[in-house]
Amino acid sequence: MLKIHINQVVTLTNQVNKSLLEVMEDQGMVIESHCRNGDCGTCRCTLTSGEVSYQSFPLAFLAPNEILPCVCKAETDLVLEGVNFQMSEKKA
């Protein structure tokens, strides 16, 4: 099972056949995102370590070591920094 470490505060377990954005949302994170197809770059973050694969070619500008969680999947354990998120409130 692959692990995804985010901003040194959250560790998630990867789910196969889902984008990183979907994995984060499924585990209670509300991620700053918009287009969900790699065009806008709103979900852009820094890949500190690990490898991802892209489901589709991202059109948003990416600096070295930046990724778009909306259109990529984890191939190895990951360490991500600069992810803009909040944890969703649990409903009773």
Side-chain angles (χ1 to χ4, degrees):
M1 206 44 91
L2 299 177
K3 297 289 182 192
I4 303 166
H5 305 280
I6 301 170
N7 296 356
Q8 299 180 359
V9 294
V10 177
T11 300
L12 305 177
T13 302
N14 189 52
Q15 299 167 14
V16 294
N17 298 320
K18 290 195 175 192
S19 71
L20 286 174
L21 180 63
E22 292 168 325
V23 170
M24 290 186 253
E25 290 174 335
D26 285 354
Q27 295 183 48
M29 298 176 74
V30 179
I31 307 298
E32 189 175 312
S33 64
H34 183 65
C35 72
R36 295 182 172 267
N37 62 11
D39 291 345
C40 73
T42 303
C43 65
R44 176 185 297 117
C45 64
T46 302
L47 177 64
T48 303
S49 71
E51 294 181 21
V52 298
S53 63
Y54 279 90
Q55 300 167 290
S56 63
F57 185 78
L59 297 176
F61 172 78
L62 293 174
N65 298 325
E66 286 185 336
I67 63 167
L68 297 174
C70 68
V71 290
C72 67
K73 294 181 181 181
E75 294 296 327
T76 64
D77 288 352
L78 302 178
V79 177
L80 304 177
E81 293 295 331
V83 178
N84 294 316
F85 76 94
Q86 296 179 3
M87 294 305 290
S88 63
E89 293 182 23
K90 298 201 183 220
K91 295 181 179 159

